[in-house]
Amino acid sequence: MHEVSLGRTIRDYLTGEQVEQTTYEDLRQALARILVEEKGYPASSVRARIGVHFPVAGSAVSAVSVEAVEAVEAVEAVEEETGAEEYCRTIDLAVYDADGRPMLILLFCPGQVNTYRRESLAAARLFPGGPVPLVLITDTKDAMLVGVQKDEVLGGGMHAIPVWDWLERLVQEHPVLPLSQERVGAERRILHTYSEFIKTCCDETLCML
């Protein structure tokens, strides 16, 4: 199921502002509430609907298979894209430290959690201010916490969502290194290939990808 607008607004749990109601927004709000009320996260540390923006070459990328894109990781050089259009993948929630550095991103998946693992790793590696050390994938019934640097599963089930007091220690235990330009290109292709079937228009307030 794709995320689509329902033509009305809903009060945002984190900011109190009215935001667009979509097929996923209630779930996004529920996840934010879990972080703050059950896991002890300061509301000010959590932000919603962050866009990962990057250029893509259009049909040249959408025509390749997932297997072919995975192979790009082994390529030493990636050609510079010309005439590319901007692509956007929305991250449902992000958690930041006191200095504004992203520590954890959360992605809602409308299907089996493990099938969204590679896409989520690419999103964490391309996230603004990142790479992000930790990513949590959840359908709100199951969850998987993954260390981004080594693609290491750190926990499963909804109890895998770390409490606030543990998060800084987890980040320190699972540091993530900056990406080379070649790896950035590979991760962009991977994220685009997994996400490109959702065709929507991205703007500054909401891109439903």
Side-chain angles (χ1 to χ4, degrees), residues 1 7 28 45 51 77 83 89 129 137-138 143 150 154 164 172 180 189 201 207:
M1 181 176 67
R28 196 175 284 126
S45 72
R89 176 68 162 87
I137 314 147
T138 180
K150 298 180 180 179
L154 306 178
W164 174 252
Q172 293 173 351
S180 67
R189 285 166 167 78
C201 179
C207 69

Side-chain angles (χ1 to χ4, degrees), residues 87-107:
Y87 196 78
C88 176
R89 176 68 162 87
T90 295
I91 306 306
D92 294 294
L93 295 170
V95 180
Y96 295 81
D97 66 15
D99 295 322
R101 293 183 295 249
M103 298 188 289
L104 167 71
I105 62 171
L106 295 86
L107 287 88

Side-chain angles (χ1 to χ4, degrees), residues 28-83:
R28 196 175 284 126
Q29 297 293 322
L31 288 173
R33 188 180 296 273
I34 288 172
L35 291 182
V36 174
E37 297 185 7
E38 298 183 20
K39 300 296 182 175
Y41 288 57
S44 60
S45 72
V46 185
R47 303 177 197 172
R49 297 173 298 278
I50 309 297
V52 175
H53 299 260
F54 56 93
V56 295
S59 60
V61 174
S62 61
V64 301
S65 67
V66 169
E67 290 78 8
V69 172
E70 293 281 7
V72 174
E73 292 180 315
V75 177
E76 295 182 355
V78 178
E79 293 183 2
E80 182 179 358
E81 294 168 339
T82 58

